[in-house]
Amino acid sequence: MEKKIIGSEEWCVLPNLQIPAIKARIDSGAKTSSIHALNIVPFKKRGEKWVRYEVFPLQSNPSVSIHCESKISGTRYVKSSTGISEKRYVILTDLILGDDQYEIEITLANRDSMGFRMLLGREAMIDRLIIDPSREDCLTSFTPEQIDSYYKRSKPTENGLKIGVLASNPELYSNKRIMEAGEQEGHQMFFLNAQQCYMKMDADNPEIHYRGGNVLDSFDAIIPRIKPSMTFYGCALIRQFDSIGTFIQNGASAISESRDKLFSSQLFSKHGIHIPTTGFANSPLETKELIEMVNGAPLIIKLLESTQGKGVVLAETNKAAESVINAFKSLKTNILVQEFIKEADGRDLRCFVIDGKVVASIERVAVKGEFRANIHQGGTARIVKISQEEKKLAIKAAKVLGLDVAGVDLIRSNKGPLLLEVNSSPGLEGIEKATGKDIAKMMISAIERKLKFNK
């Protein structure tokens, strides 16, 4: 086999990983090839060890990410350029260099501080390649236009906004749609993993840093999509962005208050917003009176940290209610007890509010035998026309919490519409598919209006 000449850096294609182009540093001093991977999670698939991870193939654009899954070939201890030995997963994948395609071993590593997202080591080059360090791109070269086409990147306009989506999973429908909508409107969109941001508190020079040490100081706006388990840290990041003058679509206090079901219930009651009768107590001695307070069973028992219908239980008898309440209390877990609205028949309304207007609404219907209508619990959605009273209730609830964007859940009762809860990071999939509306674009338009951005 005739050996081919390559330069000090080359464009590679990794077809098994759906990576159409990634620039690799050619390094004969390194035995093993590696690729920049984050959010590495091992799992079992058909009894075998696999790993899922994110690859960010473009050094100059961290907003481009590719979700990958690979069978684990092994593990290897690799000494980094800093001299620290670390354990890495090894996978096998095809490599295309020029006209040749062959399988190589590659390790998954955090290369954020390195100049290249991929390193091609000598094991992948033996008997195939000769390095001419004075040259570059000997086998393949891609134009910027080709890269944009491969990664479906829209060219931002010269005066487009720089917008960050602060979340955890770039593969979630909602996060992908917001990124796409912003790019389609000509803005620079960046996905920022909240877990990989860190802060410097300083009166003269407060900063937010991102993996690899990049300082996040030039964003026009941040769209928070903080998952419940990241509420405390995510809100701290949001406050930090706010302190350096970045516009935040939903503020930290608004998110915190919406996630605290007890506090938000008290706020709603204070502002005359009708909710199902709700009880809260600390002592197990008050269990029976608590049940009577909400008109007895059947009743709903909610963990204060519940989301997407998880941590919500229906107790059909007073005895069952006592057992569940006391079990939760024995675990030192805070709960709310709430009257069950039987006439709702497993249905509720999701109203999507943006800047004080209901822009879309759907009715969610629970699956047979289930009382929770959440789509994440298997419920279905259909477009619905809501009344003026329901519209006013949804708008007022979002306003009381100070949310620019909110998913407001209502229930129809014999007493009129009642507020169930307000979500500060509402999902887009169910409501976009049911209504056909481009909610993600509406969220971007709301930012443009707030920042008085003219296209």
Side-chain angles (χ1 to χ4, degrees):
M1 179 180 176
E2 184 181 351
K3 296 179 183 179
K4 293 188 175 179
I5 296 175
I6 59 171
S8 60
E9 54 188 72
E10 293 287 339
W11 282 102
C12 301
V13 179
L14 303 173
N16 302 144
L17 305 184
Q18 307 298 313
I19 297 176
I22 183 168
K23 179 62 77 78
R25 181 67 165 173
I26 310 303
D27 187 356
S28 61
K31 179 181 178 182
T32 312
S33 302
S34 67
I35 192 168
H36 176 57
L38 296 173
N39 302 323
I40 301 169
V41 180
F43 68 100
K44 286 283 185 73
K45 185 175 182 180
R46 296 187 292 273
E48 297 179 314
K49 293 181 179 179
W50 282 60
V51 63
R52 60 173 60 97
Y53 50 97
E54 290 174 64
V55 174
F56 296 79
L58 302 181
Q59 188 76 24
S60 60
N61 192 338
S63 69
V64 175
S65 68
I66 297 175
H67 178 78
C68 303
E69 292 185 357
S70 305
K71 184 179 176 181
I72 296 173
S73 173
T75 56
R76 187 169 298 175
Y77 284 89
V78 179
K79 187 173 286 188
S80 70
S81 59
T82 59
I84 299 173
S85 185
E86 60 181 7
K87 183 180 177 181
R88 298 178 185 172
Y89 290 109
V90 181
I91 64 167
L92 293 173
T93 190
D94 280 1
L95 168 74
I96 298 176
L97 262 176
D99 299 326
D100 297 327
Q101 179 170 343
Y102 47 91
E103 189 177 65
I104 65 168
E105 276 192 345
I106 195 164
T107 65
L108 307 179
N110 186 336
R111 296 183 51 81
D112 234 337
S113 59
M114 307 297 176
F116 291 82
R117 297 303 203 189
M118 181 176 168
L119 180 144
L120 195 68
R122 61 179 180 272
E123 278 187 341
M125 297 185 282
I126 292 173
D127 297 328
R128 297 187 180 102
L129 303 167
I130 298 174
I131 305 170
D132 181 347
S134 66
R135 299 173 63 183
E136 297 176 1
D137 302 337
C138 296
L139 299 181
T140 307
S141 183
F142 296 118
T143 65
E145 290 73 26
Q146 285 175 307
I147 297 296
D148 288 338
S149 173
Y150 292 155
Y151 290 106
K152 297 179 180 176
R153 296 193 302 165
S154 301
K155 285 285 187 182
T157 58
E158 286 186 10
N159 63 336
L161 298 173
K162 187 175 180 180
I163 302 173
V165 177
L166 187 66
S168 297
N169 185 356
E171 292 303 308
L172 282 182
Y173 176 94
S174 300
N175 296 336
K176 289 172 74 172
R177 282 287 301 113
I178 293 169
M179 295 286 292
E180 291 168 1
E183 288 172 355
Q184 287 168 1
E185 295 303 300
H187 304 302
Q188 297 179 66
M189 300 296 296
F190 294 85
F191 184 87
L192 304 175
N193 190 317
Q195 292 169 289
Q196 292 160 15
C197 296
Y198 48 103
M199 303 166 266
K200 181 182 85 171
M201 273 72 75
D202 180 87
D204 298 320
N205 188 31
E207 292 178 341
I208 303 115
H209 290 240
Y210 198 46
R211 53 173 194 244
N214 297 320
V215 179
L216 306 179
D217 59 356
S218 59
F219 281 87
D220 296 296
I222 293 292
I223 302 174
R225 303 286 303 178
I226 305 298
K227 63 182 181 181
S229 62
M230 285 291 292
T231 299
F232 180 81
Y233 189 68
C235 286
L237 286 170
I238 292 166
R239 289 192 294 271
Q240 190 78 353
F241 274 111
D242 182 62
S243 73
I244 63 173
T246 306
F247 171 74
I248 312 294
Q249 191 159 52
N250 274 342
S253 61
I255 293 173
S256 296
E257 290 174 6
S258 71
R259 296 269 167 91
D260 185 336
K261 287 184 169 51
L262 176 60
F263 182 61
S264 57
S265 295
Q266 292 173 316
L267 268 181
F268 298 144
S269 296
K270 178 182 178 181
H271 288 85
I273 295 175
H274 294 290
I275 62 174
T277 303
T278 302
F280 177 77
N282 186 52
S283 169
L285 299 174
E286 311 302 333
T287 298
K288 288 186 178 179
E289 190 174 342
L290 196 63
I291 292 170
E292 292 173 7
M293 188 186 293
V294 298
N295 304 317
L299 54 81
I300 303 294
I301 301 164
K302 290 183 178 181
L303 293 176
L304 286 185
E305 301 82 16
S306 64
T307 181
Q308 298 178 349
K310 299 172 185 175
V312 181
V313 178
L314 171 63
E316 297 190 3
T317 67
N318 284 359
K319 188 173 182 180
E322 285 184 46
S323 298
V324 173
I325 292 169
N326 290 333
F328 277 137
K329 286 185 176 178
S330 70
L331 298 172
K332 308 296 183 186
T333 302
N334 289 316
I335 59 169
L336 291 178
V337 177
Q338 199 167 70
E339 72 171 316
F340 177 62
I341 309 299
K342 185 177 180 180
E343 61 268 24
D345 194 26
R347 299 167 185 266
D348 69 17
L349 305 175
R350 162 56 65 92
C351 303
F352 209 102
V353 179
I354 299 179
D355 282 352
K357 293 182 180 179
V358 176
V359 297
S361 53
I362 54 174
E363 182 180 58
R364 302 183 299 189
V365 183
V367 295
K368 189 174 181 180
E370 176 61 76
F371 70 96
R372 295 166 296 183
N374 303 69
I375 292 172
H376 288 88
Q377 298 298 327
T380 57
R382 66 178 183 87
I383 192 168
V384 67
K385 183 175 177 61
I386 62 173
S387 67
Q388 281 299 117
E389 185 181 7
E390 290 164 341
K391 190 178 292 187
K392 288 179 181 177
L393 179 57
I395 292 169
K396 186 175 181 181
K399 185 178 180 181
V400 163
L401 290 173
L403 292 169
D404 290 337
V405 173
V408 182
D409 296 340
L410 310 177
I411 197 166
R412 287 169 170 168
S413 77
N414 293 334
K415 298 180 284 186
L418 301 175
L419 175 66
L420 290 179
E421 64 177 313
V422 180
N423 192 320
S424 57
S425 296
L428 305 187
E429 186 170 12
I431 200 160
E432 284 198 339
K433 290 183 177 178
T435 64
K437 293 185 176 181
D438 192 341
I439 306 296
K441 182 179 177 180
M442 294 180 190
M443 292 174 65
I444 298 297
S445 297
I447 291 174
E448 293 174 345
R449 288 193 298 272
K450 285 289 175 96
L451 296 180
K452 295 181 170 58
F453 173 78
N454 294 314
K455 295 180 183 178

